[in-house]
């Protein structure tokens, strides 16, 4: 009995030790996974920082030749994050809040609008951008194990902003230097444009970065004052100076809001009393007025505003014109909008004879959202703005960690600035700036380090999200590779055709365009350009049979492009010009008239119609067309010369 009892005791003791070792091993494995994930979190921060740095430094305004590779970097980042999620699936749980729900809702809504879009190629690029921004938001909110990893990303943004500012200072002193071959800094001189080629978008980067430097200077008690003073110098002197030199009125207003929100944040922390905020508002307002009134560089921009007010010319002011036209479009497409990225295509059908150029976006991100995505898309984004803003304004105490205070201070102030500036410009349609904004808002409302491993819902829901994210990632990668394979050959072909190309260059351009079409038959740009190439070759050829063959190819290419993009009326005119070339004048006239019905104020179209009538011998109608072209707000070309030639001839022909 004793032996049996001892044996039972020894067995029980052994099992307990084994279970203890088993639990200890699990704890050790869990700690190892956490250590590994901390390294992955740091790698994620660096990866995100690289993406955000490339945006302003190389992408600047809107340069697809670099944004597509950046999207590739984003796909790689998201694959890495999905692997991290899969490895943590046993302990993973997730329940979206209102902000996350709005992001997910807009991603899926934009996906539905992509599948129903009137122009697939443009909508595809728009949806890829949305997926990129949503991914950066999600990574910055949930992908960092430690708060300081998020601060590293913010530090990179600050460094990039300083680099853009310093380059802008240098560029003002070296106006002959042409970054990316562009002369925009000469056009905007003496305004500072940095790497953007546009002062408004450079200004947005500066006021997003200023509160990062100021917040670090104020709250980073862990660091010595010399370091904080250096960073403060960037936030209080270097970046504000660069912003002032942009002469961007929208950026000035945004900077004022950044300052007010920053002071409100400090008041709520009981760092400064309320009278400091009031004093800032009074002093800042007076200082801003004095600067505007006494700055020689601001004089032309002030005179523009004064002229509009004095002569009641609000309807001739470009931003008012664009807003009016956007509301007209919204009236026709109120619920779901006209489709992703369609404003620039549809706007020529809506503007009046007082609008003097072609627009891609409104100077108002909210109106652009309303026209492209309708009330449904607008309300989804409104839910996100309200939810994210509410989370940013959760009250903090002075005893909270300094890293959290820096992050919340910087993001709250910058977020307020971009929300205001979006009423006057289209920074959220500039990929570099939009990516930074989405990353910063993710950082601003991220969970604290202590809440990183909190459980909130069931394992089943978590795994469902994993598969949903994987599905979106696969779709993203598929659309991206198609776009890359069709975009770069077409751009190479266009470069070859600039100036006076040699026959070998023309042949190479044709080959590249065919390659682009083969990679993506839905690329209407490639189809239309192929039609242009065939039309040019047809005009140069003296072989009747060869001309006929080329004309058939060109007409089919144009027809295909029109099917892909029924909103681009220039395709109708280009096809009509092909009909003119092969003397099918009735078909050409029908297309010219259709294009002009859609865009009655397009001088290019009236010029083309004038040339058509001249070719057919109807000089009186040709003169009328050229006169309309000459009065059109843009696209007049050589209408005045044609009128000078035709008017005496028509008058002679009218004589009895």
């Amino acid at each position: 009995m004793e032996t049996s009892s001892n044996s039972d005791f020894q067995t029980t003791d052994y099992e307990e030790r084994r279970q203890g070792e088993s639990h200890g091993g699990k704890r050790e494995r869990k700690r190892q996974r956490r250590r590994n994930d901390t390294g992955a979190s740091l790698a994620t921060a660096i990866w995100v920082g690289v993406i955000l740095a490339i945006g302003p430094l190389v992408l600047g305004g809107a340069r697809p030749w670099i944004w597509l590779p950046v999207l590739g970097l984003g796909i790689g980042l998201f694959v890495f994050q999905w692997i991290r999620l899969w490895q943590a699936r046993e302990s993973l749980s997730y329940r979206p809040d209102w902000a996350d729900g709005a992001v997910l809702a807009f991603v899926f809504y934009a996906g539905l609008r992509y599948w129903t879009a009137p122009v697939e190629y443009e909508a595809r690029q728009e949806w890829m951008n949305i997926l990129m921004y949503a991914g950066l938001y999600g990574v910055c909110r949930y992908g960092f194990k430690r708060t300081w990893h998020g601060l590293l990303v913010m530090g990179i943004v600050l460094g990039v902003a300083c680099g853009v500012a310093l380059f802008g200072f240098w560029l003002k002193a070296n106006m002959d230097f042409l970054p990316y071959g562009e002369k925009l800094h000469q056009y905007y001189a003496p305004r500072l444009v940095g790497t953007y080629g546009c002062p408004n978008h450079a200004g947005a980067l500066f006021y997003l970065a200023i509160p990062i430097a100021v917040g670090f200077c104020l709250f980073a008690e862990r660091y010595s004052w010399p370091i904080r003073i250096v960073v403060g110098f960037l936030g209080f002197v270097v970046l504000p100076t660069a912003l002032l030199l942009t002469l961007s009125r929208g950026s000035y207003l945004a900077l004022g809001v950044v300052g007010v929100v920053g002071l409100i944040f400090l008041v709520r922390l009981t760092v400064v009393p309320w009278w400091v905020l009031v004093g800032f508002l009074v002093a800042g307002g007076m200082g801003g007025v004095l600067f505007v009134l006494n700055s020689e560089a601001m004089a032309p921009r002030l005179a523009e505003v004064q002229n509009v007010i004095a002569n009641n010319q609000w309807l001739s002011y470009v931003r008012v014109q664009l807003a009016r036209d956007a509301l007209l479009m919204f009236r026709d497409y109120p619920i779901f909008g006209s489709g992703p990225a369609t404003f620039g295509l549809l706007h020529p059908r809506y503007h009046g004879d007082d609008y003097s150029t072609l627009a891609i976006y409104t100077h108002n991100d909210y109106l652009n959202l309303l026209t492209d995505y309708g009330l449904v898309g607008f309300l989804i984004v409104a839910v996100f703005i309200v939810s994210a803003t509410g989370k940013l304004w959760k009250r903090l105490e002075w005893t909270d960690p300094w890293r959290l205070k820096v992050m919340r201070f910087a993001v709250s102030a910058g977020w307020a600035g971009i929300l205001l500036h979006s009423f006057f410009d289209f920074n959220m349609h500039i990929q570099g700036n939009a990516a930074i904004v989405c990353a910063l808002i993710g950082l601003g409302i991220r969970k604290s380090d202590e809440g990183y491993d909190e459980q909130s819902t069931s394992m089943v829901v978590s795994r469902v999200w994993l598969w949903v994210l994987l599905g979106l990632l696969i779709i993203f990668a598929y659309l991206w590779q198609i776009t890359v394979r069709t975009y770069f050959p077409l751009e190479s072909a266009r470069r070859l055709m600039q100036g006076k190309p040699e026959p070998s260059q023309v042949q190479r351009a044709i080959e590249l365009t065919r390659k682009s079409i083969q990679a993506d038959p839905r690329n209407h740009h490639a189809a239309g350009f192929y039609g242009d190439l065939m039309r040019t070759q047809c005009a140069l050829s003296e072989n009747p049979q060869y001309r006929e063959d080329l004309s058939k190819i060109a007409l089919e290419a144009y027809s295909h492009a029109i099917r892909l993009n029924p909103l681009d009326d220039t395709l109708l005119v280009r096809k009509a010009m092909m009909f003119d070339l092969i003397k099918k004048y009735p078909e050409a006239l029908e297309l010219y008239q259709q294009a002009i019905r859609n865009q009655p104020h397009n001088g290019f179209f009236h010029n083309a119609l004038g040339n058509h009538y001249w070719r057919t011998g109807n000089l009186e109608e040709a003169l009328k067309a050229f006169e309309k072209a000459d009065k059109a707000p843009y696209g007049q070309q050589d209408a005045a010369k044609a009128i000078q030639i035709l008017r005496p001839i028509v008058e002679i022909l009218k004589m009895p």
Side-chain angles (χ1 to χ4, degrees):
M1 293 293 293
E2 292 180 1
T3 304
S4 175
S5 177
N6 289 338
S7 175
D8 290 341
F9 175 80
Q10 291 173 356
T11 301
T12 302
D13 186 56
Y14 170 74
E15 290 175 352
E16 289 177 353
R17 288 199 307 272
R18 185 177 64 180
Q19 290 175 0
E21 291 174 358
S22 176
H23 289 307
K26 288 181 179 179
R27 285 195 296 269
E28 180 59 32
R29 287 193 295 271
K30 189 174 183 179
R31 283 195 293 268
Q32 183 62 39
R33 282 197 300 269
R34 287 181 176 176
R35 284 194 294 268
N36 292 339
D37 197 48
T38 299
S41 172
L42 178 58
T44 297
I46 296 172
W47 204 329
V48 170
V50 169
I51 290 174
L52 299 185
I54 292 175
L57 292 179
V58 186
L59 173 66
R63 303 181 178 107
W65 56 268
I66 186 59
W67 182 240
L68 285 172
V70 171
L71 287 178
L73 283 175
I75 293 172
L77 172 67
F78 303 148
V79 169
F80 181 55
Q81 301 313 303
W82 192 88
I83 293 172
R84 289 178 65 195
L85 290 172
W86 181 258
Q87 290 176 339
R89 65 189 181 279
E90 298 301 329
S91 59
L92 179 67
S93 59
Y94 172 67
R95 179 170 54 200
D97 54 20
W98 281 101
D100 289 354
V103 170
L104 292 168
F106 193 76
V107 165
F108 284 108
Y109 174 66
L112 289 174
R113 293 301 288 123
Y114 161 64
W115 291 110
T116 59
V119 187
E120 188 275 342
Y121 186 75
E122 306 296 338
R124 180 201 313 168
Q125 295 184 68
E126 178 99 350
W127 196 41
M128 287 194 298
N129 287 343
I130 290 170
L131 289 171
M132 181 71 165
Y133 304 148
L136 287 172
Y137 161 83
V139 169
C140 288
R141 185 171 187 190
Y142 296 106
F144 298 141
K145 186 81 171 184
R146 296 287 178 260
T147 303
W148 77 268
H149 295 166
L151 287 179
L152 174 61
V153 172
M154 295 176 69
I156 292 173
V157 172
L158 174 61
V160 168
C162 293
V164 171
L166 294 175
F167 178 72
F169 296 144
W170 182 87
L171 195 60
K172 284 175 65 66
N174 298 270
M175 295 296 291
D176 293 334
F177 181 72
L178 303 180
Y180 317 115
E182 298 171 359
K183 298 182 179 180
L184 287 171
H185 60 292
Q186 298 176 352
Y187 170 78
Y188 281 111
R191 303 172 68 184
L192 184 144
V193 300
T195 56
Y196 282 80
C198 177
N200 300 325
H201 306 146
L205 175 65
F206 298 149
Y207 67 68
L208 286 171
I210 285 171
I212 298 175
V214 173
F216 184 89
C217 177
L218 294 177
F219 301 118
E221 64 267 12
R222 174 179 174 180
Y223 294 90
S224 62
W225 271 108
I227 296 176
R228 294 163 68 180
I229 290 173
V230 170
V231 177
F233 177 75
L234 298 176
F236 286 106
V237 179
V238 175
L239 292 177
T241 301
L243 189 147
L244 290 175
L245 290 176
T246 65
L247 304 182
S248 168
R249 292 164 294 186
S251 296
Y252 289 176
L253 292 173
L255 181 62
V257 170
V258 167
V260 170
V261 170
L263 278 175
I264 293 174
F265 189 95
L266 295 178
V267 169
R268 296 182 75 203
L269 276 178
T270 67
V271 176
V272 297
W274 277 103
W275 62 265
V276 173
L277 173 60
V278 175
F280 173 82
L281 291 174
V282 174
M286 294 178 60
V289 170
L290 290 174
F291 170 77
V292 171
L293 293 177
N294 294 285
S295 171
E296 294 183 5
M298 280 296 294
R301 303 185 60 72
L302 181 62
E304 179 186 10
V305 175
Q306 291 173 332
N307 183 59
V308 169
I309 297 174
N311 299 307
N312 197 26
Q313 295 179 341
W314 292 102
L315 294 181
S316 63
Y317 185 53
V318 60
R319 283 172 169 79
V320 175
Q321 290 173 328
L322 286 169
R324 174 199 62 194
D325 300 339
L327 291 174
L328 290 174
M329 292 173 62
F330 170 66
R331 179 193 62 187
D332 291 342
Y333 306 94
I335 306 301
F336 302 109
S338 56
T342 52
F343 176 83
L345 295 169
L346 279 174
H347 180 247
R349 299 184 180 183
Y350 285 86
H351 71 68
D353 59 3
D354 56 347
Y355 188 78
S356 60
T357 185
L358 292 171
I360 301 176
Y361 309 111
T362 67
H363 274 270
N364 185 315
D365 278 324
Y366 304 105
L367 285 178
N368 220 133
L369 173 68
L370 203 59
T371 58
D372 285 358
Y373 292 95
L375 279 173
V376 174
F378 186 87
L379 290 175
I380 293 173
V381 174
V383 169
F384 174 78
I385 291 174
V386 171
S387 177
T389 303
K391 289 180 177 296
L392 286 173
W393 279 96
K394 285 184 177 179
R395 189 175 184 87
L396 291 177
E397 302 296 337
W398 182 254
T399 54
D400 285 318
W402 71 269
R403 291 170 178 167
L404 183 61
K405 288 184 290 188
V406 171
M407 193 168 287
R408 194 77 66 79
F409 173 85
V411 176
S412 298
W415 178 237
I418 201 72
L419 288 179
L420 175 66
H421 198 182
S422 290
F423 280 104
F424 311 107
D425 273 302
F426 48 90
N427 278 295
M428 293 306 289
H429 283 83
I430 300 301
Q431 294 97 329
N433 283 358
I436 289 175
V437 170
C438 292
L440 289 179
I441 198 67
L443 291 173
I445 63 177
R446 71 182 293 273
K447 293 186 295 184
S448 64
D449 293 347
E450 293 77 13
Y452 188 86
D453 293 321
E454 289 179 357
Q455 300 270 332
S456 59
T457 189
S458 67
M459 192 72 63
V460 175
V461 174
S462 300
R463 294 197 178 189
V464 168
W465 282 118
L466 272 177
W467 292 112
V468 169
L469 293 176
L470 180 61
L472 287 173
L473 186 55
I474 291 172
I475 294 173
F476 190 2
Y478 173 74
L479 295 177
W480 175 79
Q481 61 87 22
I482 291 177
T483 308
V484 167
R485 290 192 297 115
T486 190
Y487 173 82
F488 287 103
L490 179 61
E491 287 305 299
S492 298
R494 285 173 167 169
R495 284 195 296 270
L496 287 171
M497 292 302 294
Q498 292 176 354
K500 296 181 179 179
E502 299 293 331
S504 59
Q505 292 178 302
V506 174
Q507 189 58 41
R508 178 58 180 162
I510 293 173
E511 293 173 359
L512 288 169
T513 307
R514 288 173 179 166
K515 181 179 179 181
S516 177
I517 294 173
Q518 289 171 356
D520 181 12
R522 295 171 295 181
N523 185 346
H524 63 90
H525 295 293
F529 188 68
Y530 190 57
D532 293 340
L533 289 173
M534 295 298 101
R535 175 163 56 87
T536 303
Q537 293 300 99
C538 180
L540 296 174
S541 176
E542 298 180 357
N543 186 323
Q545 184 60 47
Y546 188 50
R547 284 170 59 89
E548 183 178 353
D549 294 340
L550 289 175
S551 67
K552 290 179 180 178
I553 297 173
L555 290 172
E556 177 56 34
Y558 286 133
S559 297
H560 182 58
I562 292 169
R563 287 192 295 271
L564 295 172
N565 185 358
L567 305 182
D568 187 356
D569 298 311
T570 65
L571 292 169
L572 298 175
V573 172
R574 288 147 72 183
K575 185 177 181 180
M577 293 169 68
M578 185 65 248
F579 276 129
D580 271 342
L581 192 60
I582 58 176
K583 300 182 180 180
K584 291 188 176 182
Y585 300 124
E587 293 89 339
L589 179 60
E590 182 180 353
L591 291 175
Y592 286 128
Q593 291 175 337
Q594 181 182 345
I596 290 174
R597 282 195 300 271
N598 291 339
Q599 298 187 27
H601 306 299
N602 192 317
F604 295 108
F605 294 177
H606 288 290
N607 256 313
L609 179 60
N611 288 326
H612 164 82
Y613 281 129
W614 198 338
R615 182 189 293 266
T616 59
N618 193 340
L619 300 186
E620 187 173 352
E621 291 298 322
L623 179 60
K624 292 179 181 178
F626 283 122
E627 287 174 341
K628 290 181 179 179
D630 192 48
K631 296 176 182 178
Y634 57 86
Q636 299 91 342
Q637 293 178 314
D638 296 325
K641 292 181 180 179
I643 293 170
Q644 187 178 4
I645 296 171
L646 284 175
R647 184 169 286 161
I649 299 174
V650 171
E651 290 176 355
I652 292 173
L653 293 175
K654 286 182 178 180
M655 294 176 62

